[in-house]
Structure formats: structure tokens, C-alpha cells
Amino acid sequence: MASIFTRIIKGEIPCHKIREDERFLAFLDIRPIHAGHTLVIPKQEIDYLLDLPDDLLGDLMKFAKPIAKAIQTVVPCSRVGVIVAGIEVPHAHVHLVPFESIGQLSFANARAADHKDLAALAEKICAALK
């Protein structure tokens, strides 16, 4: 059975897309830890991030880097953290989470977000990428 991320890639489930190419997709998390929380995934469905081939893993981080910089431009924060948990969805992914203090980097802080707010934020982050 396809992961929820594969269903998002196929367009079966909508998302607030930030960036996409032939191998990767980045989109806003609908239960963000902090506004701007973005998921970055390979389109190839591989369960665990550290099982990705080296070139794909390296390219995933290269794909994520300008997104993190755009998030930091748009969302007031000290840094954009990179979290790899890999438990909740069996599809390799990284979380890009803007934060001010380390205590904010907790999934206990995740809350459902309004889709209109996500759409507006996605538009700003996309504009910062250009």
C-alpha cells in the first residue's frame, strides 16, 4: 500500500507545495511544530532516510537547503532545524522547522493549521525561492 506521501506525490491528496522536481517534493506540514514547518521527501518510496542511496540522500539535502533559507527569510526565527524522525510515515523524509529555542523542536508542539494560512505562507516561501 502506498504511503500517504506517495499519495501526495501522485496528487491523490492535496498539499501546499513549496518546491518540486523530478526526484523530490517539499510541502508544508498540515500539523506544524511552528509556522513554516516543511516536509522534504524523495519521490522514490523508501521507508527509512538512512536507507536512501548516498547520491539520493545528498541530493535531498541539496534540494532542502534553499527551501530552508527561504523559510528563514519569510518566517521570523533564529534557525531552521532539520529533524529526522522517520517513525510516523514509512517514507523517507526530513522536517525543516523554524525555531527560536531548542525546546520548540518537539512534535508535542504540533497543531493543526488552517489551510488558508498554509496557502498564504506557501505562496510567500515560494516567492522567496525565486
Side-chain angles (χ1 to χ4, degrees):
M1 181 173 185
S3 76
I4 191 168
F5 291 166
T6 296
R7 295 183 64 210
I8 289 170
I9 292 164
K10 291 180 178 180
E12 296 171 5
I13 297 173
C15 72
H16 297 281
K17 194 179 298 182
I18 300 300
R19 185 176 181 210
E20 180 177 25
D21 69 13
E22 62 282 346
R23 297 190 307 153
F24 305 105
L25 175 64
F27 54 94
L28 292 178
D29 195 312
I30 61 170
R31 289 189 43 80
I33 292 173
H34 189 281
H37 179 169
T38 300
L39 296 164
V40 182
I41 64 173
K43 289 185 175 179
Q44 183 179 355
E45 187 175 304
I46 295 174
D47 181 6
Y48 182 47
L49 187 78
L50 297 179
D51 286 338
L52 293 178
D54 290 347
D55 63 328
L56 192 61
L57 178 60
D59 289 347
L60 176 75
M61 295 310 292
K62 289 176 187 173
F63 181 84
K65 183 177 178 178
I67 297 166
K69 290 182 180 292
I71 292 168
Q72 195 165 17
T73 299
V74 172
V75 178
C77 62
S78 294
R79 303 242 173 150
V80 174
V82 179
I83 300 174
V84 176
I87 297 296
E88 65 282 2
V89 178
H91 190 130
H93 60 286
V94 296
H95 299 260
L96 300 178
V97 184
F99 70 101
E100 289 294 329
S101 67
I102 196 71
Q104 294 175 329
L105 292 178
S106 170
F107 288 101
N109 296 329
R111 301 286 180 265
D114 179 85
H115 285 282
K116 288 181 184 177
D117 293 340
L118 290 172
L121 185 54
E123 189 173 308
K124 290 177 184 175
I125 295 169
C126 289
L129 274 169
K130 296 179 179 172

